[in-house]
Amino acid sequence: MKILLNNIDLNEALFDKSNIGFVPTMGSLHDGHISLIKKSLKLSNKTIVSIFVNPKQFNNNDDYKKYPRNVKKDLRVLKSLKVDFVYLPGVKDIYKSVNKIKIKLKKQDKILCAQYRKGHFEGVIEVMTHLTKIINPSKIFMGEKDFQQLLLVKRYIEKNFKSKIISCKTIRDRNKLALSSRNILLKKNDLSKAGKIAKHLIIFKKRLLNKKNLKNLIFMKKNELKKKYDIKIDYLELRNTKNLRLTNKIKNAKIFVAYYINKVRLIDNY
Ligand code: AMP
């Protein structure tokens, strides 16, 4: 496994490679990331994983500072998986480019996390544009856990580059909680509460199958969860999986949720 610390290392390592699989991450790797990496190793000639905590996608500096970082452990994990390359750029490697990019979301895209985290997806699309340009991968592996991110990045990157975005299923722990680097920030009680909320919503979604007036049921569920688990909910909404429009039909729809437990923001979809 080669560790690439800057763009010169990167260009040298990749210039003669083809069918490159790319897994972008912010590190603190867990089984969710590992599932993406394993898929890339299977489908690509060479796999490159990036670890970069992207300051531009944090709308809150405190959140950026507190974001879990475990590079040493991550490198051990990546080595054991036999990943070909790890890219650990500095902020300058990504943003020193003379070709400045200005990303603007459309009005209809300012929903879900885009509504609550101003500038977040603009930052994600910007970093993905820089990374795709330098790495030029055939495939980029991304998780459905961050469904809105997956759709926005897919739309933008596939329009502007030849790389294809490959979506990967959400990996959950035994309590059905979606794995996330932020879960490390939760205390034991809160972790178990988050698992209960995930189970609760998985069962709720199943029960919606033969129900009418789903909008109202979801509205009531939001209030119930707030009280029952003492959480602050940014959104709990049923949306179409193709265009993310609000819907009252369960077919081709997912429940999207973002909530805070003790200042830790968790998102999921079912
Ligand atoms: P992050 O390091 O959180 O930026 O995530 C890097 C990639 O891993 C993104 O494409 C995420 O959607 C994906 N990912 C994060 N958590 C999971 C999970 N539990 N299951 C599958 N993919 C995930």
Side-chain angles (χ1 to χ4, degrees):
M1 182 177 84
K2 257 194 197 146
I3 299 174
L4 314 170
L5 294 173
N6 53 52
N7 295 354
I8 298 169
D9 288 359
L10 184 101
N11 288 331
E12 213 169 278
L14 296 187
F15 84 98
D16 59 346
K17 306 291 184 291
S18 59
N19 187 15
I20 297 171
F22 172 39
V23 185
T25 83
M26 298 208 296
S28 278
L29 302 179
H30 50 66
D31 284 351
H33 298 114
I34 291 173
S35 74
L36 270 56
I37 294 166
K38 285 193 171 158
K39 202 161 174 175
S40 175
L41 287 167
K42 217 185 210 171
L43 298 179
S44 322
N45 289 348
K46 297 284 173 192
T47 289
I48 176 163
V49 176
S50 67
I51 299 178
F52 179 62
V53 184
N54 173 29
K56 284 213 182 174
Q57 73 185 69
F58 286 82
N59 50 324
N60 172 330
N61 196 34
D62 209 34
D63 189 27
Y64 172 63
K65 279 194 205 141
K66 280 194 194 138
Y67 194 85
R69 290 158 169 91
N70 290 296
V71 178
K72 268 193 189 154
K73 182 171 168 244
D74 289 346
L75 289 176
R76 278 202 301 275
V77 171
L78 294 171
K79 198 169 171 194
S80 74
L81 289 168
K82 300 199 166 61
V83 161
D84 301 283
F85 304 106
V86 189
Y87 180 43
L88 301 172
V91 173
K92 279 192 202 135
D93 291 294
I94 302 292
Y95 292 114
K96 76 173 171 208
S97 150
V98 275
N99 304 322
K100 294 260 182 279
I101 313 166
K102 184 85 192 139
I103 307 291
K104 241 181 118 105
L105 289 194
K106 294 194 189 113
K107 196 167 168 236
Q108 68 260 34
D109 290 331
K110 293 188 178 170
I111 53 168
L112 301 170
C113 284
Q115 184 186 338
Y116 288 89
R117 301 186 69 190
K118 295 267 178 303
H120 169 65
F121 289 119
E122 289 85 342
V124 171
I125 295 171
E126 186 171 349
V127 77
M128 285 303 299
T129 302
H130 286 301
L131 289 168
T132 307
K133 233 184 231 169
I134 334 175
I135 295 172
N136 190 21
S138 301
K139 301 184 187 75
I140 304 175
F141 297 82
M142 300 187 73
E144 286 180 7
K145 150 87 173 37
D146 302 281
F147 201 86
Q148 188 179 14
Q149 164 175 285
L150 175 70
L151 289 198
L152 284 171
V153 170
K154 186 176 173 70
R155 203 166 75 202
Y156 192 88
I157 293 293
E158 291 188 351
K159 189 174 154 205
N160 294 293
F161 299 92
K162 286 197 183 128
S163 313
K164 287 271 162 282
I165 305 290
I166 311 293
S167 71
C168 306
K169 292 268 166 260
T170 301
I171 305 297
R172 300 178 178 280
D173 70 9
R174 60 192 157 89
N175 294 321
K176 299 285 180 212
L177 175 62
L179 298 183
S180 162
S181 306
R182 289 179 194 274
N183 293 355
I184 297 173
L185 303 172
L186 293 173
K187 296 196 193 88
K188 216 175 159 197
N189 300 351
D190 293 336
L191 256 180
S192 102
K193 196 192 262 190
K196 282 182 189 148
I197 293 167
K199 271 192 203 135
H200 195 127
L201 285 171
I202 289 168
I203 294 170
F204 174 62
K205 164 101 190 279
K206 281 191 186 136
R207 291 200 182 133
L208 290 183
L209 269 173
N210 44 15
K211 295 265 178 19
K212 292 218 168 72
N213 199 358
L214 304 187
K215 214 171 179 182
N216 193 39
L217 292 175
I218 288 169
F219 179 77
M220 289 193 309
K221 183 56 71 182
K222 188 172 167 187
N223 286 331
E224 183 195 330
L225 290 178
K226 269 191 216 166
K227 284 202 195 104
K228 186 169 171 144
Y229 297 107
D230 188 27
I231 50 174
K232 176 174 160 310
I233 301 182
D234 274 353
Y235 57 77
L236 180 78
E237 290 172 350
L238 187 70
R239 287 186 178 264
N240 179 282
T241 47
K242 293 271 174 317
N243 53 28
L244 289 186
R245 291 211 188 104
L246 280 169
T247 178
N248 223 351
K249 292 196 199 101
I250 201 76
K251 197 172 172 223
N252 296 328
K254 274 177 176 275
I255 293 178
F256 291 86
V257 67
Y259 66 93
Y260 287 87
I261 297 190
N262 277 335
K263 297 196 176 152
V264 180
R265 190 173 190 273
L266 300 178
I267 62 169
D268 205 345
N269 58 81
Y270 311 92

